[in-house]
Amino acid sequence: MGKLIRLELFNFKSYKGHHTLLFGDSFFTSIIGPNGSGKSNSMDAISFVLGIKSSHLRSSHLRDLVYRGRVLRTSTINGDGSATAPAANGDVNGHADGAEPGSDEDNTQRSHSERHDPKSAWVMAVYEDDAGDQQLWKRTITSQGVSEYRINNRVVTAQHYNDALEAENILIKARNFLVFQGDVEAIASQSPRDLTRLIEQISGSLEYKAEYERLKDAAEQAAETQNYSLNRRRGINAESKLYQEQKREADNYARKAEERDHAIVTHILWKLFHFQRTVESSTAEILRHQEELKEYRRGVEKYDRALEEARREQARVGRELGKVERAIKTKEKEMEDQEHAILPLDEKIGLTGKNVAAYADKIAEIAKERDAQSSNAHRLKKDLAVVAKAQDQWEADRRKTDQQDGRQLSESDLQAYGKLREQVNTRTSADQTKLDALTRQRKTDEETVQSLQSKYDATQWQVQKLEEDMRALTERKQTMAQQVKQTSHDIAEKKKEVHAFTSERLRTAQKQTELDEKLQEVLRTLLEADDGRRQTEREIRTRDTVVALKRIFPGVRGRVSELCKPKLKKYGEAVSTVLGRNFDAIVVDNEKTAKDCIQYLRDQRTGQATFIPLDTIQVKAVNANLKGMHPKMRMAIDTIEYDHALERAMSYACGNAMVCDDLATAKYLCYDKSVEAKAVTLDGTIIHRGGLMTGGRGPGQQHARRWEDAEVENLRKMKDKLMADLAALPKSHRRGTAEETIQGELAGLEQRLSYATDELKALERNLASKDKELQFHRRQLKELQPTYEEKTRQFQRLNDSLAHFQGAIRKVEDDVFADFCRRLAYHDIREYEAQQGSRQQEAAQRKLEFTMQKSKLENQLSFETQRLQSTQERIKRLEEKAARDEAMMDALQQEKETIQEARQVIEAEIKQLQEQLESLQGKYAAKVEKVAEQRREVQTRQKEVEGTLKAVAGLEAEIQRTAAGRYALLRRCKLEEIDLPLADGSAELDKLPIDELLAADDPDEMDVDEDPSSSAVQAPTVPDYGIEVDFDGLDEELREGADEGRDEDLQDRVATLTSELDKMAPNMRAIERLEGVESRLKSTEKDFEEARRAAKKAKDDFQAVKEQRFELFNKAFSHISEQIGQVYKDLTKGPNLPLGGSAYLDMEDSDEPYLDGIKYHAMPPLKRFRDMEHLSGGEKTMAALALLFAVHSYQPSPFFVLDEVDAALDNANVGKIANYIRDHAGPGMQFIVISLKTGLFQNSEALVGIYRDQSANSSKALTLDLRKYK
């Protein structure tokens, strides 16, 4: 890549006239200068010449970039930006003398006073490419305020100019080579989506954004249009096939209708005849049972009173029994707590006793040491006395020996010796004086050396003794430390076990609490459900009957109320009202199963039921026109959930009934819209098809509650499960023996650890004291050694001097005493004197030996005395600890005795309560037996009543079933317009109420609770509505036979004909509708094909743009993501932090990353990863610069211009930035940095200095090549 050689400016911003910023062959150039000198204007000049818009150059218009001179405070600013100076004569208006405002003369004078600022400016960049050729890029602001572009002095268009820059990899749109003031702070605080947009700009994928969004909307719209056309074609095609099929069925329908109508009338007459006969016989049987019930119920009431009294007596004894049991449990709990309290006490007493014994053993051991030390001290004293006595004895013996063995000389010899000695003394007086002085000095020095030697030996022995003691103490300390460590480990293990037991107990308690709460909630819900669900004996009997039928006959599906469920709870009451008498109807697979069930009910005399066979039931299609007529209305069939296989039964039960949110909606549909369908509101109000309105509380409200049966059953199962879970849980109030044992062991270990820790601390203190003493003696030994050696050398030199003088004296003595010695037969005078003085010397030697021996014994005695004192102090401390533990053991023993006494009292109380409990248990057993006896009596009487009631119920059910069947047949005849023969004087079928049910099954009748105390059984009344059927047309054979076979034959005939007609289901308008449908199908096929082609094309176009955008974005992101870590590491590493920091980019959406954000995470050295907003100011700047450098590395331009990016950095970070730029600056990478920080620009290769020339009112530049000075 090339590089920027220089930058030439002409009248650009603060640069008046022509100026050159020379960069030369430097790859790291810093632009410096004081604030306000125009440094940043050089940045604007570079940006301007590279085609950046003026809005990015701190200006709103291009004219603002042209140089303007300084404006005086007294000048007037004109509309075009020029300034007018005030008049010279002081005229406040600024006019010349005699000139009127606005005149030509005045205008002329003003034109001369203007500043004559330039109207145009230009900036030219001289760029040298890889081949060494220079290119001149020039951008000019013309006098018209527009830009003119030139390349090598040739005018070109802006696009051509931009293409030439891009050819050198200078991407104006990306702007990845320019960092303005504030860009670093903006990048540091930008959001993930802003970072995504930055990478889109760098990668060029942003250019595809508008096309991407347009094609995406177009593809979605085309797909939607295609789906619409496809669904429309399918619907029309299905409609065409339907009309073709209906046309074929329409021709065969008419001939079957007449034959079916005759068979239906015959079947209805046969059933009505036998219904009437059954009602008459059943009514007579019911009246016979009425008198029997009265007598039975009086007996039941008598025994009920006796049973209630026995129950009250049993409850009273039971409460007393429970009270005693609770008291026993409370006492047992207290006993258990007392037992648990004793275990830790026993453990503590045992541990304390062991400690006391250990202290005693320790005291005995140390006492032995004390006795040994005392014995040593006594022995040393005795030895010292023996030495003193021996010295005295020796001195006495010496004096006695001298007197006995002394040698006697003659008087003349002694006189001659005296004279000669005087002569010698005279001749050697000077030497003798020196010899005497040296002799005295020698004696003194000898004593000093001996004293130092004795002290040195004693100190050395003391050091050896202390080292041995410290080794012993260190071994004991290590042993004790190991014991503490092991005990601590054992305590940790025991605590884990205790925590495990505690956690398990807490978990069990928490689980028990949760189960209790759930159980209470379930019980509360069940109680509420039971309060709202009062099932009569008939309902219970019906439910049991259905269960039996389902068990015996596989084809029984269940009751309608069990097979469907309202989609929303608010529909419950309305749906139950819509279902009406079909609410308890039983759905079966076929008609044969229904007949078998009816026969079973007859045989078991368990009542009657309505059956809906799925194969033969006649179902009218739901009127589709009713759907969507009102937003507050929906079809009843749409408000329930059911199995699809039961659709025919549910459609039959619901019909065209509508469910409305309120009565106003129902009135609007039935009265205003004249909808011929039954409308039911959410509160159960009905508007019948004929306009009749029914309200109030009826059986429908009771039926609505029965949908909760399944939920109640689930609640009961949940209750049983919860109770089983509770029973399976361990008892949380009892603590196992294992846990108690562990607690006791833990207390013992903690006590042992406490004692071991105390002893370890005592050993450490003793060791520290010994160490201090040892260090003292070592220092003393170190100080004594040089003194001892110096004194020894001095003593040797003194001996040498003494020998010299003694030799001189001996020479004189030999000369003077020569004749004397020959006469007395001595070799020399010294032999004579030695004979006489040897005894003195021997005495002196012996005396010195006694002195040294006494000194040694005294030092040893002092050391042993100190050891004995220390040992006695240790014994005293151990005795104090032993006394403290003995006192603690006595207190624990007393506490244990107190607890045992309390246990004995509680045991006596428990024994007394148990005796009372046995007595109450006997009484309670007797009461229970009495209650059971009374209950058996009541049950015996109730069986008689139940038998009679069951018989009556069977008869009632038979009558009700028969009456319901008669009404259903008459209602069917009216609804289906069957021509039923009637007797003379009979009311017409039109008088029969369509929606009025019988008393037992009428959903609109008020619900009246039964009085269980009522003893009267009344025969149900069966309304005939004034309709009397004429049975004359019924054959005698049909009148006599009422068996199921005859009914099956008649029904089979009707069913066969009806089935054939139902299967036909002709549509008479199918032919004319078929033609219109086929015409619409052709048009729809053409629309669908066009929509399919348009959708495919839109999808392909969108996919191509999407892949191009993703490829560009992902290429840039991958490169920047790979570079960011190394760049950040290079920026943040230093001598103390050679590894630097870490940074990475995180893509939130990997499929289409440009639609979501990209997170930038940085981890400064020695810190953890964190988001940008959690970094400090300097850390943010370093992270932002790393991102900028990484972004620039993607399609890098030949140069990189930075404007005061180091403003928020400290010196250390500035140095890191400088090192990074210096390391990366080179061929292909030129850095131009505007900075005020010395740490940055002093590392550059060249400096461009910007300063302000106040006289010229312009910024000027200087260039300095720093490489010459390095």
Side-chain angles (χ1 to χ4, degrees):
M1 291 184 180
K3 63 189 301 296
L4 197 61
I5 301 299
R6 68 179 182 271
L7 190 69
E8 298 184 12
L9 298 84
F10 180 74
N11 291 335
F12 185 81
K13 296 193 88 169
S14 63
Y15 293 88
K16 180 180 180 182
H18 185 271
H19 298 271
T20 301
L21 304 183
L22 182 60
F23 305 128
D25 58 352
S26 169
F27 290 101
F28 181 11
T29 304
S30 295
I31 301 177
I32 62 174
N35 290 328
S37 61
K39 297 188 304 300
S40 295
N41 290 339
S42 61
M43 176 72 171
D44 294 340
I46 296 174
S47 304
F48 172 75
V49 76
L50 295 178
I52 303 299
K53 294 181 180 180
S54 61
S55 58
H56 298 292
L57 304 179
R58 303 178 293 170
S59 301
S60 58
H61 302 287
L62 284 174
R63 289 179 178 177
D64 296 337
L65 301 178
V66 180
Y67 170 80
R68 290 185 180 181
R70 181 172 55 188
V71 180
L72 300 177
R73 294 183 180 178
T74 57
S75 300
T76 303
I77 303 300
N78 301 322
D80 61 354
S82 61
T84 304
N89 60 359
D91 189 340
V92 294
N93 295 323
H95 301 294
D97 294 340
E100 295 295 331
S103 64
D104 294 338
E105 183 179 358
D106 179 62
N107 292 334
T108 301
Q109 291 177 1
R110 281 204 307 270
S111 65
H112 287 291
S113 62
E114 291 179 352
R115 293 179 295 151
H116 302 290
D117 287 340
K119 301 298 183 180
S120 64
W122 55 263
V123 178
M124 181 175 68
V126 179
Y127 177 79
E128 184 180 278
D129 58 17
D130 293 337
D133 299 331
Q134 289 191 355
Q135 299 182 26
L136 305 180
W137 297 331
K138 185 176 181 181
R139 182 180 178 186
T140 304
I141 304 174
T142 64
S143 58
Q144 289 79 22
V146 296
S147 294
E148 179 186 85
Y149 298 93
R150 291 175 180 267
I151 299 178
N152 296 328
N153 295 322
R154 183 171 57 88
V155 178
V156 296
T157 62
Q159 183 61 38
H160 187 188
Y161 192 82
N162 188 39
D163 293 341
L165 293 176
E166 289 184 356
E168 296 297 330
N169 215 26
I170 302 174
L171 306 178
I172 303 303
K173 294 180 180 179
R175 281 180 52 199
N176 61 334
F177 57 90
L178 297 174
V179 180
F180 293 92
Q181 287 187 17
D183 282 0
V184 175
E185 290 78 4
I187 290 175
S189 60
Q190 67 182 355
S191 64
R193 287 192 176 273
D194 294 336
L195 182 55
T196 302
R197 182 173 179 83
L198 174 63
I199 295 180
E200 276 208 280
Q201 290 176 343
I202 299 302
S203 64
S205 65
L206 188 62
E207 298 178 4
Y208 293 90
K209 180 178 180 182
E211 186 71 8
Y212 171 88
E213 293 176 350
R214 183 184 66 78
L215 291 177
K216 183 178 181 181
D217 294 339
E220 291 176 352
Q221 184 66 31
E224 185 177 352
T225 303
Q226 180 188 5
N227 291 333
Y228 172 75
S229 300
L230 177 62
N231 293 332
R232 187 165 175 263
R233 187 188 69 170
R234 289 176 178 173
I236 295 175
N237 195 16
E239 189 176 358
S240 174
K241 292 180 180 179
L242 176 64
Y243 287 141
Q244 290 175 359
E245 182 69 21
Q246 289 177 353
K247 178 179 177 299
R248 288 191 296 269
E249 295 177 355
D251 299 334
N252 298 324
Y253 182 77
R255 65 174 176 266
K256 297 283 183 184
E258 185 177 355
E259 185 180 355
R260 181 200 62 183
D261 292 342
H262 179 72
I264 289 174
V265 170
T266 301
H267 183 227
I268 291 174
L269 285 175
W270 179 80
K271 292 186 74 174
L272 288 175
F273 178 80
H274 289 288
F275 281 163
Q276 184 172 346
R277 179 179 294 178
T278 300
V279 169
E280 292 173 354
S281 61
S282 298
T283 303
E285 189 69 18
I286 289 173
L287 294 175
R288 184 177 63 81
H289 287 299
Q290 287 180 356
E291 296 301 325
E292 296 178 359
L293 280 175
K294 293 180 182 179
E295 184 64 27
Y296 291 157
R297 283 177 172 164
R298 282 194 292 269
V300 170
E301 291 175 357
K302 174 182 176 183
Y303 284 99
D304 275 341
R305 289 191 294 271
L307 176 60
E308 186 63 27
E309 180 64 27
R311 284 177 175 173
R312 285 195 296 269
E313 189 65 22
Q314 178 189 356
R316 182 185 62 79
V317 176
R319 286 192 297 272
E320 295 179 359
L321 182 63
K323 185 177 180 181
V324 174
E325 287 178 347
R326 287 192 296 274
I328 291 175
K329 288 182 179 179
T330 302
K331 295 299 181 181
E332 288 177 349
K333 183 65 171 58
E334 293 179 2
M335 280 281 292
E336 186 178 358
D337 294 341
Q338 297 290 350
E339 184 176 354
H340 293 167
I342 288 177
L343 289 176
L345 291 177
D346 290 339
E347 182 67 21
K348 290 181 179 179
I349 290 172
L351 289 175
T352 307
K354 291 179 181 179
N355 291 333
V356 171
Y359 286 141
D361 295 340
K362 199 69 174 177
I363 290 171
E365 180 182 352
I366 297 174
K368 291 180 181 179
E369 295 180 6
R370 181 196 59 189
D371 296 340
Q373 293 168 0
S374 178
S375 176
N376 289 337
H378 182 70
R379 180 180 54 79
L380 290 172
K381 289 179 180 180
K382 184 176 180 182
D383 291 345
L384 186 61
V386 169
V387 170
K389 185 177 180 180
Q391 183 179 7
D392 295 339
Q393 182 66 33
W394 171 78
E395 289 179 352
D397 293 341
R398 183 179 63 83
R399 286 192 298 270
K400 184 177 180 181
T401 303
D402 288 342
Q403 292 176 2
Q404 292 177 358
D405 298 336
R407 185 175 178 181
Q408 299 293 328
L409 296 176
S410 64
E411 187 66 29
S412 60
D413 292 336
L414 290 176
Q415 290 177 357
Y417 174 78
K419 290 178 180 181
L420 292 174
R421 175 54 62 187
E422 288 178 1
Q423 185 180 353
V424 170
N425 289 339
T426 301
R427 292 176 60 183
T428 62
S429 59
D431 292 336
Q432 190 66 44
T433 302
K434 292 180 180 179
L435 181 62
D436 292 341
L438 289 174
T439 302
R440 290 192 299 271
Q441 180 67 31
R442 182 183 182 282
K443 185 176 181 181
T444 303
D445 290 348
E446 185 180 7
E447 292 178 355
T448 302
V449 169
Q450 291 177 355
S451 175
L452 287 173
Q453 185 179 5
S454 176
K455 191 173 182 181
Y456 181 83
D457 294 340
T459 304
Q460 192 172 16
W461 179 82
Q462 191 76 9
V463 167
Q464 293 176 355
K465 184 64 176 176
L466 288 173
E467 287 177 348
E468 292 176 0
D469 292 344
M470 286 191 66
R471 282 194 295 270
L473 289 174
T474 302
E475 292 176 358
R476 290 181 59 192
K477 176 186 174 183
Q478 291 175 351
T479 303
M480 192 57 62
Q482 184 65 28
Q483 182 178 353
V484 169
K485 183 178 179 181
Q486 183 62 34
T487 306
S488 301
H489 179 267
D490 295 342
I491 288 175
E493 294 297 325
K494 294 298 180 183
K495 284 185 177 180
K496 288 181 181 178
E497 296 180 15
V498 171
H499 291 164
F501 279 110
T502 305
S503 300
E504 180 66 20
R505 188 169 63 254
L506 292 176
R507 188 193 64 78
T508 303
Q510 183 178 3
K511 183 69 174 177
Q512 184 176 4
T513 303
E514 294 176 357
L515 293 175
D516 285 338
E517 292 176 354
K518 292 180 181 179
L519 181 60
Q520 293 300 324
E521 181 65 21
V522 171
L523 292 175
R524 182 183 62 78
T525 307
L526 283 174
L527 182 61
E528 293 176 355
D530 291 339
D531 289 343
R533 297 171 62 259
R534 295 174 298 174
Q535 295 184 345
T536 63
E537 292 182 0
R538 181 177 178 182
E539 291 173 347
I540 298 173
R541 195 162 57 245
T542 302
R543 185 180 63 190
D544 296 340
T545 301
V546 173
V547 173
L549 290 175
K550 291 172 70 175
R551 186 177 65 253
I552 296 172
F553 303 104
V556 177
R557 299 294 186 92
R559 289 186 293 179
V560 172
S561 60
E562 298 170 348
L563 299 176
C564 68
K565 181 180 179 181
K567 292 182 178 179
L568 297 176
K569 192 172 183 180
K570 66 177 182 178
Y571 297 143
E573 202 163 311
V575 172
S576 62
T577 303
V578 169
L579 295 177
R581 61 176 180 168
N582 292 321
F583 190 84
D584 286 329
I586 302 174
V587 180
V588 296
D589 288 343
N590 50 54
E591 187 176 2
K592 183 178 183 307
T593 303
K595 292 178 179 179
D596 293 342
C597 293
I598 292 173
Q599 185 61 41
Y600 173 80
L601 295 177
R602 288 177 178 173
D603 295 342
Q604 299 296 325
R605 302 182 65 83
T606 55
Q608 63 180 359
T610 302
F611 293 88
I612 301 178
L614 293 175
D615 61 339
T616 60
I617 192 69
Q618 297 180 5
V619 181
K620 293 184 179 180
V622 177
N623 190 354
N625 295 327
L626 297 178
K627 295 184 178 181
M629 289 188 65
H630 196 278
K632 294 186 178 181
M633 181 276 290
R634 59 213 46 84
M635 302 303 294
I637 190 67
D638 295 334
T639 62
I640 60 176
E641 296 176 350
Y642 55 87
D643 189 356
H644 184 69
L646 306 174
E647 184 175 2
R648 287 175 56 82
M650 299 305 164
S651 299
Y652 172 80
C654 295
N656 284 327
M658 303 176 295
V659 176
C660 304
D661 290 351
D662 49 38
L663 185 59
T665 304
K667 288 181 178 179
Y668 170 77
L669 294 173
C670 293
Y671 298 152
D672 298 346
K673 291 293 185 178
S674 301
V675 176
E676 293 185 359
K678 181 167 64 175
V680 182
T681 63
L682 296 180
D683 60 358
T685 303
I686 310 172
I687 299 181
H688 299 277
R689 191 160 56 180
L692 181 65
M693 185 183 298
T694 304
R697 184 174 179 83
Q701 285 80 352
Q702 298 294 330
H703 293 333
R705 294 174 183 160
R706 286 162 54 189
W707 267 305
E708 301 176 0
D709 286 347
E711 298 178 2
V712 171
E713 186 64 25
N714 291 333
L715 288 174
R716 289 197 178 97
K717 292 180 180 178
M718 185 180 293
K719 181 197 71 173
D720 296 338
K721 183 178 181 301
L722 291 174
M723 293 182 69
D725 292 343
L726 279 173
L729 289 176
K731 302 302 180 182
S732 59
H733 64 278
R734 294 181 177 271
R735 295 172 59 188
T737 306
E739 183 179 2
E740 296 169 1
T741 304
I742 291 174
Q743 287 282 10
E745 293 176 356
L746 179 60
L749 289 173
E750 289 177 346
Q751 189 71 17
R752 188 184 306 167
L753 178 63
S754 176
Y755 294 149
T757 304
D758 293 342
E759 186 170 354
L760 181 61
K761 291 180 180 178
L763 287 173
E764 290 176 349
R765 289 194 298 269
N766 194 6
L767 195 60
S769 176
K770 292 289 185 181
D771 184 62
K772 289 180 180 179
E773 187 176 355
L774 177 61
Q775 295 300 328
F776 170 75
H777 286 293
R778 283 178 176 172
R779 288 194 303 270
Q780 191 175 19
L781 187 64
K782 189 175 181 181
E783 293 172 357
L784 282 174
Q785 186 172 1
T787 304
Y788 171 69
E789 292 175 354
E790 180 64 25
K791 289 294 183 183
T792 303
R793 288 192 293 270
Q794 291 179 2
F795 184 70
Q796 185 62 36
R797 287 195 298 271
L798 183 62
N799 286 334
D800 294 342
S801 300
L802 190 62
H804 173 70
F805 286 109
Q806 285 178 346
I809 294 173
R810 286 193 188 111
K811 188 175 182 182
V812 174
E813 286 178 345
D814 291 341
D815 185 34
V816 173
F817 285 103
D819 297 336
F820 181 79
C821 291
R822 282 193 299 270
R823 183 171 54 84
L824 294 179
Y826 285 103
H827 182 268
D828 53 28
I829 191 62
R830 289 180 293 283
E831 181 180 357
Y832 166 77
E833 291 178 348
Q835 185 178 3
Q836 297 297 321
S838 59
R839 292 184 179 273
Q840 298 293 331
Q841 292 177 358
E842 182 182 356
Q845 183 64 30
R846 291 292 304 274
K847 187 176 182 181
L848 178 61
E849 291 176 359
F850 280 121
T851 302
M852 290 178 65
Q853 192 174 4
K854 287 172 64 177
S855 176
K856 183 177 180 181
L857 290 174
E858 287 174 353
N859 289 332
Q860 290 179 356
L861 178 61
S862 176
F863 172 72
E864 291 295 337
T865 303
Q866 292 177 0
R867 287 184 60 193
L868 179 61
Q869 183 178 0
S870 175
T871 304
Q872 288 176 347
E873 290 177 355
R874 288 173 58 195
I875 292 174
K876 183 179 180 181
R877 287 195 297 270
L878 289 174
E879 289 175 348
E880 291 175 353
K881 290 182 179 179
R884 180 193 63 192
D885 288 352
E886 288 176 355
M888 183 188 299
M889 190 165 59
D890 294 339
L892 292 174
Q893 189 66 34
Q894 185 176 0
E895 184 178 355
K896 178 180 177 181
E897 293 174 357
T898 303
I899 294 174
Q900 289 177 345
E901 292 176 359
R903 286 187 61 193
Q904 293 175 358
V905 174
I906 295 173
E907 287 177 353
E909 293 177 353
I910 291 175
K911 185 176 182 181
Q912 183 178 0
L913 289 172
Q914 288 176 345
E915 293 175 356
Q916 186 178 355
L917 178 64
E918 292 175 358
S919 175
L920 289 174
Q921 285 176 344
K923 292 181 182 180
Y924 186 74
K927 299 298 181 182
V928 170
E929 180 62 29
K930 185 175 181 181
V931 169
E933 182 180 355
Q934 294 297 329
R935 186 181 291 112
R936 288 192 293 271
E937 293 292 338
V938 171
Q939 290 175 352
T940 302
R941 271 67 181 176
Q942 283 181 343
K943 286 181 181 178
E944 298 174 352
V945 174
E946 290 175 357
T948 304
L949 287 175
K950 185 175 182 180
V952 171
L955 294 172
E956 287 179 348
E958 187 69 23
I959 292 173
Q960 293 291 344
R961 184 173 65 253
T962 303
R966 182 177 184 277
Y967 171 77
L969 289 174
L970 294 176
R971 184 174 180 272
R972 176 185 173 192
C973 291
K974 179 180 179 180
L975 293 176
E976 299 178 7
E977 297 181 354
I978 298 174
D979 188 12
L980 185 68
L982 300 177
D984 296 337
S986 172
E988 297 295 332
L989 288 176
D990 294 338
K991 303 297 182 180
L992 180 70
I994 296 300
D995 294 309
E996 183 176 354
L997 302 179
L998 296 179
D1001 297 322
D1002 188 359
D1004 301 328
E1005 184 182 8
M1006 183 66 70
D1007 183 24
V1008 180
D1009 294 338
E1010 297 180 0
D1011 185 5
S1013 63
S1014 175
S1015 61
V1017 178
Q1018 298 180 357
T1021 59
V1022 181
D1024 56 6
Y1025 307 105
I1027 298 173
E1028 185 176 354
V1029 181
D1030 184 6
F1031 297 107
D1032 294 340
L1034 189 64
D1035 295 341
E1036 291 296 331
E1037 183 180 0
L1038 295 176
R1039 291 188 182 186
E1040 296 298 330
D1043 58 335
E1044 292 294 331
R1046 184 64 55 85
D1047 185 34
E1048 289 179 1
D1049 293 340
L1050 294 174
Q1051 286 184 358
D1052 288 344
R1053 177 61 180 166
V1054 174
T1056 302
L1057 295 173
T1058 303
S1059 176
E1060 293 178 358
L1061 290 173
D1062 289 341
K1063 292 177 181 178
M1064 295 178 188
N1067 183 3
M1068 299 307 178
R1069 301 180 62 186
I1071 298 176
E1072 59 185 32
R1073 290 185 178 179
L1074 181 60
E1075 296 176 356
V1077 169
E1078 290 177 348
S1079 176
R1080 286 190 289 121
L1081 182 60
K1082 293 179 181 179
S1083 176
T1084 304
E1085 288 282 356
K1086 182 179 179 181
D1087 295 341
F1088 171 72
E1089 188 62 27
E1090 293 177 355
R1092 186 183 65 79
R1093 288 195 296 270
K1096 184 176 183 304
K1097 183 177 182 304
K1099 182 179 179 181
D1100 293 342
D1101 294 343
F1102 170 69
Q1103 191 65 26
V1105 172
K1106 176 183 176 182
E1107 290 176 357
Q1108 182 65 21
R1109 187 181 183 187
F1110 176 80
E1111 182 179 357
L1112 290 174
F1113 185 91
N1114 193 54
K1115 181 179 179 182
F1117 175 81
S1118 300
H1119 177 84
I1120 296 170
S1121 181
E1122 291 174 359
Q1123 294 294 322
I1124 187 67
Q1126 186 61 42
V1127 172
Y1128 186 74
K1129 182 179 294 183
D1130 293 342
L1131 279 176
T1132 55
K1133 68 182 180 180
N1136 297 328
L1137 303 168
L1139 297 179
S1142 300
Y1144 69 93
L1145 296 177
D1146 187 13
M1147 187 184 296
E1148 295 181 354
D1149 186 355
S1150 59
D1151 295 332
E1152 292 187 88
Y1154 38 77
L1155 298 181
D1156 215 328
I1158 293 177
K1159 290 186 176 180
Y1160 178 29
H1161 302 277
M1163 184 182 75
L1166 303 181
K1167 294 187 179 180
R1168 60 182 179 83
F1169 275 107
R1170 56 181 69 180
D1171 293 332
M1172 290 291 289
E1173 58 266 19
H1174 297 147
L1175 299 178
S1176 64
E1179 292 171 345
K1180 286 183 180 179
T1181 301
M1182 296 296 284
L1185 285 173
L1187 180 60
L1188 287 173
F1189 289 139
V1191 167
H1192 180 264
S1193 67
Y1194 179 74
Q1195 296 182 351
S1197 63
F1199 49 83
F1200 199 8
V1201 186
L1202 307 171
D1203 187 3
E1204 295 190 17
V1205 296
D1206 55 354
L1209 297 178
D1210 56 12
N1211 293 332
N1213 286 327
V1214 169
K1216 293 178 181 178
I1217 295 294
N1219 292 333
Y1220 179 85
I1221 295 175
R1222 184 182 59 201
D1223 294 340
H1224 291 77
M1229 190 61 172
Q1230 179 185 11
F1231 284 92
I1232 300 174
V1233 182
I1234 301 174
S1235 175
L1236 289 174
K1237 296 294 183 69
T1238 306
L1240 182 59
F1241 64 72
Q1242 70 181 3
N1243 289 288
S1244 59
E1245 297 176 354
L1247 292 180
V1248 176
I1250 307 297
Y1251 67 96
R1252 185 77 174 179
D1253 188 347
Q1254 299 296 335
S1255 61
N1257 195 20
S1258 171
S1259 298
K1260 294 186 178 182
L1262 296 174
T1263 301
L1264 178 64
D1265 190 349
L1266 296 180
R1267 289 171 294 183
K1268 300 177 181 179
Y1269 306 100
K1270 293 184 178 179

